[in-house]
Amino acid sequence: MAHLIKLPSVAADTSGGNLHQWLKKEGDTVAVGDALAEIETEKAIVEINAEHAGVLGRIVVPAGAASVPINTVIGVLLADGDDASAIDRVLAEHGGAAAVVAAAAAPAAAASTAASAAASAPVSSATSSAASAATSAAASSAAPAAAAPKASAATPASNTPVPGGRLFASPLARRLAAQWHVDLLGVAGTGPHGRIVRRDVESARDRAPVAAVATSAGRPAARRVPHTGMRRAIARRLTESKQNVPHFYLSVDCKMDALLALRAQANHGGAVKLSVNDFIVRAAALALREVPEVNVSWHEDAIEYHAGADISVAVATDGGLVTPIVRDADVKSLSAIAGEIVELAGRAKINRLKPEEFTGGSLTVSNLGMYGISQFAAIINPPQAAILAVGAAERRPVVAENGDLVAATVMTVTLSADHRAVDGAVGARWLAAFRTLIENPVRILL
């Protein structure tokens, strides 16, 4: 029988996403596990994979649709032996549930679907009024399978808006255009059927002349940049964290000379180049193993003790901060951690992380040392109970054991902890364990 393709719950803290693009066309054969479409959430672009084999019979929600709620019907997959009539039949059978979703989505979808409502395919006489409401409100631009290629061919191959004012551009392209102040009306699309995609916006940005808009007083005018979905998510989560989580802060100075010498020796002629941050990530994981009371998350009904030491690594992207996770960092080699961080950070910067790769985690490491920041305190990323802020390793005068004043390379780190889940003495024990590992780096290799 035919199967409905619904927008899945792509992350625990999201209610939906933008339909970035379809990776299959109507009429394409689909195997179990094939990537059908891409959904853009607040932090990443996520693939939707097929749960059944068959043929993509109808695309209900077109590419470019914004704010599509979870469980919205976005397409129909035909099984072997099904014909086009099965599409109407399966929509009718699930009309009640789809109508509820459509009612919630209708306010956001109404403006973009009004112009194409007349072209929507009428369902069979067996289709209930609830199913009709669902298919017209959730994606009234859907046409019969046979007519879909024609509609696609009519899509403009330039940047000219279609009747009704719609400009064909991917959600990511729109977001980057707003961020970089690129007028999409002046951008020619090179995507499918003239759709404006990321590379088109990047090219327009690189071609744009550098010019300042002056006021009457001769000063540059202020600019207003609309919030992206990621920026809104960061603002919401960090505001909630600062307001609801009782932070306390502990700082220590770590002598880095032995670690830097060991790193130089390990990198000499090695295929994988280790960074100081790689040592820090593994040391943080080993310290969690030594002081498991910090490897926890706060929930209203219980404290959750994590089985593995999963370290989130803060990565700065054009859209904001993303924290991909190195799972089980306490049992991985430094070279494995180094390679994983490079790979995760690379995909984070192009919004290609999977939700499970940045959701959860035991503790976050936020390193601003490469920017010359000596010391700072970071905001906890709930439901984690701690975050480690890492400053620069810099030469400072220190007092040696014999009382002499000598120069040493010192790094200041600050642990922000959730006092609901972690007591001060527990946090101090973890930080002492971390410093011991950093100052005796051979133990990080074991």
Side-chain angles (χ1 to χ4, degrees):
M1 60 172 291
H3 300 280
L4 295 177
I5 303 169
K6 297 183 179 181
L7 185 73
S9 178
V10 291
D13 60 346
T14 59
S15 58
N18 303 328
L19 187 47
H20 183 61
Q21 66 174 329
W22 280 94
L23 303 176
K24 297 285 187 180
K25 304 186 301 295
E26 290 182 352
D28 282 356
T29 300
V30 176
V32 174
D34 279 359
L36 294 173
E38 291 181 338
I39 299 297
E40 182 185 23
T41 68
E42 292 173 332
K43 291 193 174 182
I45 295 176
V46 183
E47 290 184 348
I48 297 177
N49 297 319
E51 298 179 358
H52 306 277
V55 174
L56 183 57
R58 180 178 296 177
I59 291 175
V60 177
V61 178
S67 302
V68 182
I70 290 172
N71 286 329
T72 296
V73 176
I74 62 173
V76 179
L77 191 68
L78 295 175
D80 288 343
D82 285 337
D83 56 22
S85 65
I87 298 174
D88 295 333
R89 186 166 59 251
V90 73
L91 287 173
E93 291 172 355
H94 294 78
V100 173
V101 175
S112 62
T113 59
S116 55
S120 297
V123 295
S124 65
S125 58
T127 304
S128 66
S129 59
S132 299
T135 54
S136 61
S140 57
S141 58
K150 182 178 180 181
S152 298
T155 301
S158 67
N159 58 339
T160 305
V162 298
R166 184 178 176 189
L167 189 71
F168 279 82
S170 72
L172 179 59
R174 292 178 185 273
R175 189 180 70 192
L176 294 177
Q179 181 179 328
W180 295 332
H181 314 293
V182 173
D183 184 357
L184 290 180
L185 290 176
V187 178
T190 63
H193 308 296
R195 183 180 178 81
I196 299 173
V197 293
R198 178 188 179 117
R199 62 176 176 268
D200 302 322
V201 180
E202 290 177 336
S203 297
R205 175 201 60 183
D206 296 340
R207 291 194 305 268
V210 178
V213 179
T215 64
S216 58
R219 297 173 58 192
R223 295 182 293 115
R224 291 177 62 86
V225 180
H227 298 310
T228 62
M230 180 184 291
R231 180 54 58 189
R232 289 184 185 277
I234 292 171
R236 183 185 70 252
R237 288 179 59 82
L238 295 187
T239 298
E240 291 173 354
S241 177
K242 257 313 207 184
Q243 289 177 341
N244 300 325
V245 177
H247 290 57
F248 72 91
Y249 309 96
L250 302 171
S251 298
V252 294
D253 293 333
C254 304
K255 297 177 182 177
M256 298 290 291
D257 296 283
L259 188 150
L260 294 175
L262 180 62
R263 171 178 173 258
Q265 184 177 357
N267 283 342
H268 181 68
V272 177
K273 299 301 182 183
L274 303 176
S275 70
V276 171
N277 206 51
D278 299 329
F279 284 85
I280 291 170
V281 167
R282 179 156 165 77
L286 293 174
L288 286 177
R289 183 199 295 176
E290 189 170 334
V291 188
E293 296 92 335
V294 177
N295 193 9
V296 298
S297 292
W298 171 265
H299 302 279
E300 291 303 322
D301 60 337
I303 292 178
E304 178 184 358
Y305 287 80
H306 299 293
D310 303 331
I311 305 299
S312 302
V313 181
V315 175
T317 72
D318 289 341
L321 195 67
V322 182
T323 53
I325 301 170
V326 180
R327 303 283 181 184
D328 299 314
D330 58 323
V331 296
K332 290 179 177 174
S333 66
L334 276 171
S335 59
I337 290 173
E340 193 168 335
I341 290 176
V342 169
E343 195 269 336
L344 287 170
R347 287 195 289 116
K349 291 180 178 179
I350 58 172
N351 298 324
R352 292 292 169 174
L353 290 176
K354 299 176 182 177
E356 61 268 22
E357 292 176 321
F358 59 81
T359 303
S362 302
L363 175 146
T364 297
V365 169
S366 180
N367 191 340
L368 294 180
M370 67 285 294
Y371 299 105
I373 303 300
S374 297
Q375 180 180 359
F376 69 104
I379 301 174
I380 296 169
N381 183 24
Q384 294 179 8
I387 182 170
L388 185 69
V390 181
E394 51 193 12
R395 299 291 287 177
R396 302 180 194 170
V398 298
V399 178
E401 292 183 2
N402 62 3
D404 291 342
L405 192 65
V406 297
T409 304
V410 178
M411 175 183 72
T412 300
V413 297
T414 299
L415 181 72
S416 305
D418 181 348
H419 218 322
R420 298 172 302 178
V422 178
D423 293 331
V426 172
R429 284 197 291 114
W430 183 89
L431 209 49
F434 174 82
R435 179 172 60 181
T436 298
L437 287 162
I438 292 295
E439 295 184 348
N440 300 274
V442 172
R443 293 178 54 186
I444 301 177
L445 299 178
L446 302 178

PDB file of all heavy atoms in Angstrom, residues 340-365:
ATOM      1  N   GLU A 340      38.349  13.452  14.579  1.00  0.00           N
ATOM      2  CA  GLU A 340      36.902  13.590  14.739  1.00  0.00           C
ATOM      3  C   GLU A 340      36.510  15.054  14.894  1.00  0.00           C
ATOM      4  O   GLU A 340      35.499  15.501  14.344  1.00  0.00           O
ATOM      5  CB  GLU A 340      36.444  12.772  15.949  1.00  0.00           C
ATOM      6  CG  GLU A 340      34.944  12.583  16.025  1.00  0.00           C
ATOM      7  CD  GLU A 340      34.535  11.536  17.040  1.00  0.00           C
ATOM      8  OE1 GLU A 340      35.351  10.643  17.346  1.00  0.00           O
ATOM      9  OE2 GLU A 340      33.402  11.615  17.538  1.00  0.00           O
ATOM     10  N   ILE A 341      37.288  15.805  15.662  1.00  0.00           N
ATOM     11  CA  ILE A 341      36.974  17.224  15.856  1.00  0.00           C
ATOM     12  C   ILE A 341      37.068  17.976  14.529  1.00  0.00           C
ATOM     13  O   ILE A 341      36.215  18.806  14.204  1.00  0.00           O
ATOM     14  CB  ILE A 341      37.908  17.846  16.910  1.00  0.00           C
ATOM     15  CG1 ILE A 341      37.570  17.300  18.307  1.00  0.00           C
ATOM     16  CG2 ILE A 341      37.792  19.368  16.903  1.00  0.00           C
ATOM     17  CD1 ILE A 341      38.501  17.780  19.399  1.00  0.00           C
ATOM     18  N   VAL A 342      38.096  17.706  13.747  1.00  0.00           N
ATOM     19  CA  VAL A 342      38.249  18.370  12.449  1.00  0.00           C
ATOM     20  C   VAL A 342      37.058  18.049  11.551  1.00  0.00           C
ATOM     21  O   VAL A 342      36.493  18.933  10.895  1.00  0.00           O
ATOM     22  CB  VAL A 342      39.572  17.947  11.779  1.00  0.00           C
ATOM     23  CG1 VAL A 342      39.613  18.406  10.325  1.00  0.00           C
ATOM     24  CG2 VAL A 342      40.763  18.514  12.542  1.00  0.00           C
ATOM     25  N   GLU A 343      36.654  16.773  11.527  1.00  0.00           N
ATOM     26  CA  GLU A 343      35.558  16.358  10.651  1.00  0.00           C
ATOM     27  C   GLU A 343      34.233  16.957  11.113  1.00  0.00           C
ATOM     28  O   GLU A 343      33.456  17.484  10.300  1.00  0.00           O
ATOM     29  CB  GLU A 343      35.484  14.826  10.645  1.00  0.00           C
ATOM     30  CG  GLU A 343      34.641  14.248   9.525  1.00  0.00           C
ATOM     31  CD  GLU A 343      33.194  14.063   9.935  1.00  0.00           C
ATOM     32  OE1 GLU A 343      32.924  13.947  11.142  1.00  0.00           O
ATOM     33  OE2 GLU A 343      32.324  14.032   9.049  1.00  0.00           O
ATOM     34  N   LEU A 344      33.968  16.923  12.423  1.00  0.00           N
ATOM     35  CA  LEU A 344      32.717  17.472  12.947  1.00  0.00           C
ATOM     36  C   LEU A 344      32.661  18.986  12.770  1.00  0.00           C
ATOM     37  O   LEU A 344      31.627  19.542  12.389  1.00  0.00           O
ATOM     38  CB  LEU A 344      32.582  17.113  14.430  1.00  0.00           C
ATOM     39  CG  LEU A 344      32.249  15.655  14.760  1.00  0.00           C
ATOM     40  CD1 LEU A 344      32.392  15.403  16.259  1.00  0.00           C
ATOM     41  CD2 LEU A 344      30.846  15.295  14.306  1.00  0.00           C
ATOM     42  N   ALA A 345      33.765  19.662  13.046  1.00  0.00           N
ATOM     43  CA  ALA A 345      33.794  21.119  12.912  1.00  0.00           C
ATOM     44  C   ALA A 345      33.588  21.535  11.461  1.00  0.00           C
ATOM     45  O   ALA A 345      32.896  22.522  11.175  1.00  0.00           O
ATOM     46  CB  ALA A 345      35.117  21.672  13.435  1.00  0.00           C
ATOM     47  N   GLY A 346      34.158  20.780  10.535  1.00  0.00           N
ATOM     48  CA  GLY A 346      33.980  21.094   9.121  1.00  0.00           C
ATOM     49  C   GLY A 346      32.529  20.992   8.697  1.00  0.00           C
ATOM     50  O   GLY A 346      32.009  21.866   7.996  1.00  0.00           O
ATOM     51  N   ARG A 347      31.835  19.951   9.144  1.00  0.00           N
ATOM     52  CA  ARG A 347      30.428  19.802   8.787  1.00  0.00           C
ATOM     53  C   ARG A 347      29.552  20.781   9.555  1.00  0.00           C
ATOM     54  O   ARG A 347      28.509  21.207   9.058  1.00  0.00           O
ATOM     55  CB  ARG A 347      29.974  18.363   9.026  1.00  0.00           C
ATOM     56  CG  ARG A 347      30.532  17.409   7.971  1.00  0.00           C
ATOM     57  CD  ARG A 347      29.841  16.070   7.960  1.00  0.00           C
ATOM     58  NE  ARG A 347      30.177  15.275   9.135  1.00  0.00           N
ATOM     59  CZ  ARG A 347      29.310  14.897  10.067  1.00  0.00           C
ATOM     60  NH1 ARG A 347      28.052  15.282   9.992  1.00  0.00           N
ATOM     61  NH2 ARG A 347      29.701  14.156  11.079  1.00  0.00           N
ATOM     62  N   ALA A 348      29.965  21.153  10.774  1.00  0.00           N
ATOM     63  CA  ALA A 348      29.195  22.138  11.535  1.00  0.00           C
ATOM     64  C   ALA A 348      29.168  23.479  10.817  1.00  0.00           C
ATOM     65  O   ALA A 348      28.145  24.182  10.821  1.00  0.00           O
ATOM     66  CB  ALA A 348      29.790  22.302  12.935  1.00  0.00           C
ATOM     67  N   LYS A 349      30.260  23.842  10.176  1.00  0.00           N
ATOM     68  CA  LYS A 349      30.344  25.151   9.525  1.00  0.00           C
ATOM     69  C   LYS A 349      29.514  25.242   8.254  1.00  0.00           C
ATOM     70  O   LYS A 349      29.257  26.336   7.765  1.00  0.00           O
ATOM     71  CB  LYS A 349      31.813  25.478   9.235  1.00  0.00           C
ATOM     72  CG  LYS A 349      32.609  25.743  10.515  1.00  0.00           C
ATOM     73  CD  LYS A 349      34.064  26.058  10.243  1.00  0.00           C
ATOM     74  CE  LYS A 349      34.792  26.349  11.555  1.00  0.00           C
ATOM     75  NZ  LYS A 349      36.222  26.636  11.346  1.00  0.00           N
ATOM     76  N   ILE A 350      29.080  24.091   7.729  1.00  0.00           N
ATOM     77  CA  ILE A 350      28.194  24.114   6.557  1.00  0.00           C
ATOM     78  C   ILE A 350      26.830  23.521   6.904  1.00  0.00           C
ATOM     79  O   ILE A 350      26.088  23.082   6.019  1.00  0.00           O
ATOM     80  CB  ILE A 350      28.828  23.364   5.359  1.00  0.00           C
ATOM     81  CG1 ILE A 350      29.154  21.914   5.719  1.00  0.00           C
ATOM     82  CG2 ILE A 350      30.068  24.085   4.868  1.00  0.00           C
ATOM     83  CD1 ILE A 350      29.599  21.072   4.524  1.00  0.00           C
ATOM     84  N   ASN A 351      26.510  23.502   8.195  1.00  0.00           N
ATOM     85  CA  ASN A 351      25.192  23.054   8.676  1.00  0.00           C
ATOM     86  C   ASN A 351      24.862  21.624   8.266  1.00  0.00           C
ATOM     87  O   ASN A 351      23.719  21.319   7.913  1.00  0.00           O
ATOM     88  CB  ASN A 351      24.089  23.986   8.152  1.00  0.00           C
ATOM     89  CG  ASN A 351      24.251  25.402   8.638  1.00  0.00           C
ATOM     90  OD1 ASN A 351      24.667  25.625   9.765  1.00  0.00           O
ATOM     91  ND2 ASN A 351      23.951  26.365   7.790  1.00  0.00           N
ATOM     92  N   ARG A 352      25.834  20.734   8.337  1.00  0.00           N
ATOM     93  CA  ARG A 352      25.613  19.360   7.908  1.00  0.00           C
ATOM     94  C   ARG A 352      25.743  18.353   9.049  1.00  0.00           C
ATOM     95  O   ARG A 352      25.945  17.157   8.796  1.00  0.00           O
ATOM     96  CB  ARG A 352      26.603  18.994   6.792  1.00  0.00           C
ATOM     97  CG  ARG A 352      26.330  19.744   5.503  1.00  0.00           C
ATOM     98  CD  ARG A 352      25.027  19.312   4.864  1.00  0.00           C
ATOM     99  NE  ARG A 352      24.626  20.199   3.777  1.00  0.00           N
ATOM    100  CZ  ARG A 352      23.589  19.970   2.999  1.00  0.00           C
ATOM    101  NH1 ARG A 352      22.845  18.911   3.182  1.00  0.00           N
ATOM    102  NH2 ARG A 352      23.264  20.840   2.051  1.00  0.00           N
ATOM    103  N   LEU A 353      25.609  18.783  10.279  1.00  0.00           N
ATOM    104  CA  LEU A 353      25.621  17.855  11.403  1.00  0.00           C
ATOM    105  C   LEU A 353      24.262  17.181  11.539  1.00  0.00           C
ATOM    106  O   LEU A 353      23.223  17.778  11.276  1.00  0.00           O
ATOM    107  CB  LEU A 353      25.951  18.588  12.706  1.00  0.00           C
ATOM    108  CG  LEU A 353      27.377  19.106  12.884  1.00  0.00           C
ATOM    109  CD1 LEU A 353      27.479  19.875  14.185  1.00  0.00           C
ATOM    110  CD2 LEU A 353      28.381  17.969  12.861  1.00  0.00           C
ATOM    111  N   LYS A 354      24.274  15.936  11.974  1.00  0.00           N
ATOM    112  CA  LYS A 354      23.036  15.255  12.317  1.00  0.00           C
ATOM    113  C   LYS A 354      22.634  15.663  13.737  1.00  0.00           C
ATOM    114  O   LYS A 354      23.500  15.965  14.565  1.00  0.00           O
ATOM    115  CB  LYS A 354      23.227  13.739  12.239  1.00  0.00           C
ATOM    116  CG  LYS A 354      23.622  13.239  10.853  1.00  0.00           C
ATOM    117  CD  LYS A 354      23.892  11.754  10.867  1.00  0.00           C
ATOM    118  CE  LYS A 354      24.327  11.268   9.492  1.00  0.00           C
ATOM    119  NZ  LYS A 354      24.674   9.819   9.499  1.00  0.00           N
ATOM    120  N   PRO A 355      21.337  15.672  14.059  1.00  0.00           N
ATOM    121  CA  PRO A 355      20.911  16.100  15.399  1.00  0.00           C
ATOM    122  C   PRO A 355      21.603  15.340  16.515  1.00  0.00           C
ATOM    123  O   PRO A 355      21.963  15.931  17.545  1.00  0.00           O
ATOM    124  CB  PRO A 355      19.399  15.836  15.385  1.00  0.00           C
ATOM    125  CG  PRO A 355      19.018  15.948  13.953  1.00  0.00           C
ATOM    126  CD  PRO A 355      20.182  15.405  13.175  1.00  0.00           C
ATOM    127  N   GLU A 356      21.809  14.032  16.338  1.00  0.00           N
ATOM    128  CA  GLU A 356      22.442  13.251  17.396  1.00  0.00           C
ATOM    129  C   GLU A 356      23.911  13.614  17.590  1.00  0.00           C
ATOM    130  O   GLU A 356      24.523  13.235  18.593  1.00  0.00           O
ATOM    131  CB  GLU A 356      22.319  11.754  17.114  1.00  0.00           C
ATOM    132  CG  GLU A 356      22.966  11.276  15.828  1.00  0.00           C
ATOM    133  CD  GLU A 356      22.025  11.276  14.638  1.00  0.00           C
ATOM    134  OE1 GLU A 356      21.017  12.019  14.674  1.00  0.00           O
ATOM    135  OE2 GLU A 356      22.297  10.545  13.667  1.00  0.00           O
ATOM    136  N   GLU A 357      24.472  14.351  16.630  1.00  0.00           N
ATOM    137  CA  GLU A 357      25.877  14.737  16.744  1.00  0.00           C
ATOM    138  C   GLU A 357      26.075  16.026  17.542  1.00  0.00           C
ATOM    139  O   GLU A 357      27.218  16.378  17.853  1.00  0.00           O
ATOM    140  CB  GLU A 357      26.498  14.892  15.352  1.00  0.00           C
ATOM    141  CG  GLU A 357      26.619  13.567  14.609  1.00  0.00           C
ATOM    142  CD  GLU A 357      27.145  13.724  13.191  1.00  0.00           C
ATOM    143  OE1 GLU A 357      26.763  14.705  12.515  1.00  0.00           O
ATOM    144  OE2 GLU A 357      27.936  12.864  12.744  1.00  0.00           O
ATOM    145  N   PHE A 358      24.992  16.737  17.851  1.00  0.00           N
ATOM    146  CA  PHE A 358      25.147  17.927  18.692  1.00  0.00           C
ATOM    147  C   PHE A 358      24.115  17.967  19.818  1.00  0.00           C
ATOM    148  O   PHE A 358      23.975  18.990  20.493  1.00  0.00           O
ATOM    149  CB  PHE A 358      25.082  19.211  17.860  1.00  0.00           C
ATOM    150  CG  PHE A 358      23.799  19.409  17.079  1.00  0.00           C
ATOM    151  CD1 PHE A 358      22.660  19.905  17.688  1.00  0.00           C
ATOM    152  CD2 PHE A 358      23.744  19.114  15.726  1.00  0.00           C
ATOM    153  CE1 PHE A 358      21.491  20.097  16.967  1.00  0.00           C
ATOM    154  CE2 PHE A 358      22.580  19.303  14.992  1.00  0.00           C
ATOM    155  CZ  PHE A 358      21.453  19.796  15.622  1.00  0.00           C
ATOM    156  N   THR A 359      23.394  16.875  20.038  1.00  0.00           N
ATOM    157  CA  THR A 359      22.386  16.819  21.092  1.00  0.00           C
ATOM    158  C   THR A 359      22.863  15.921  22.215  1.00  0.00           C
ATOM    159  O   THR A 359      23.285  14.785  21.968  1.00  0.00           O
ATOM    160  CB  THR A 359      21.051  16.285  20.533  1.00  0.00           C
ATOM    161  OG1 THR A 359      20.626  17.115  19.449  1.00  0.00           O
ATOM    162  CG2 THR A 359      19.983  16.281  21.613  1.00  0.00           C
ATOM    163  N   GLY A 360      22.775  16.404  23.447  1.00  0.00           N
ATOM    164  CA  GLY A 360      23.222  15.630  24.603  1.00  0.00           C
ATOM    165  C   GLY A 360      24.603  16.081  25.049  1.00  0.00           C
ATOM    166  O   GLY A 360      24.917  17.266  25.086  1.00  0.00           O
ATOM    167  N   GLY A 361      25.455  15.131  25.370  1.00  0.00           N
ATOM    168  CA  GLY A 361      26.810  15.456  25.811  1.00  0.00           C
ATOM    169  C   GLY A 361      26.919  15.561  27.320  1.00  0.00           C
ATOM    170  O   GLY A 361      25.947  15.834  28.027  1.00  0.00           O
ATOM    171  N   SER A 362      28.127  15.340  27.821  1.00  0.00           N
ATOM    172  CA  SER A 362      28.399  15.371  29.259  1.00  0.00           C
ATOM    173  C   SER A 362      28.826  16.754  29.741  1.00  0.00           C
ATOM    174  O   SER A 362      28.360  17.242  30.772  1.00  0.00           O
ATOM    175  CB  SER A 362      29.510  14.372  29.604  1.00  0.00           C
ATOM    176  OG  SER A 362      29.179  13.061  29.225  1.00  0.00           O
ATOM    177  N   LEU A 363      29.717  17.381  28.986  1.00  0.00           N
ATOM    178  CA  LEU A 363      30.339  18.649  29.378  1.00  0.00           C
ATOM    179  C   LEU A 363      30.838  19.324  28.107  1.00  0.00           C
ATOM    180  O   LEU A 363      31.258  18.642  27.163  1.00  0.00           O
ATOM    181  CB  LEU A 363      31.474  18.393  30.366  1.00  0.00           C
ATOM    182  CG  LEU A 363      32.355  19.544  30.827  1.00  0.00           C
ATOM    183  CD1 LEU A 363      32.791  19.322  32.281  1.00  0.00           C
ATOM    184  CD2 LEU A 363      33.609  19.676  29.956  1.00  0.00           C
ATOM    185  N   THR A 364      30.807  20.647  28.081  1.00  0.00           N
ATOM    186  CA  THR A 364      31.261  21.395  26.911  1.00  0.00           C
ATOM    187  C   THR A 364      32.611  22.040  27.179  1.00  0.00           C
ATOM    188  O   THR A 364      32.853  22.558  28.270  1.00  0.00           O
ATOM    189  CB  THR A 364      30.239  22.481  26.523  1.00  0.00           C
ATOM    190  OG1 THR A 364      29.005  21.860  26.159  1.00  0.00           O
ATOM    191  CG2 THR A 364      30.732  23.316  25.354  1.00  0.00           C
ATOM    192  N   VAL A 365      33.482  22.019  26.168  1.00  0.00           N
ATOM    193  CA  VAL A 365      34.753  22.748  26.199  1.00  0.00           C
ATOM    194  C   VAL A 365      34.635  23.924  25.240  1.00  0.00           C
ATOM    195  O   VAL A 365      34.364  23.741  24.048  1.00  0.00           O
ATOM    196  CB  VAL A 365      35.931  21.844  25.805  1.00  0.00           C
ATOM    197  CG1 VAL A 365      37.200  22.676  25.581  1.00  0.00           C
ATOM    198  CG2 VAL A 365      36.178  20.782  26.863  1.00  0.00           C
TER     199      VAL A 365
END
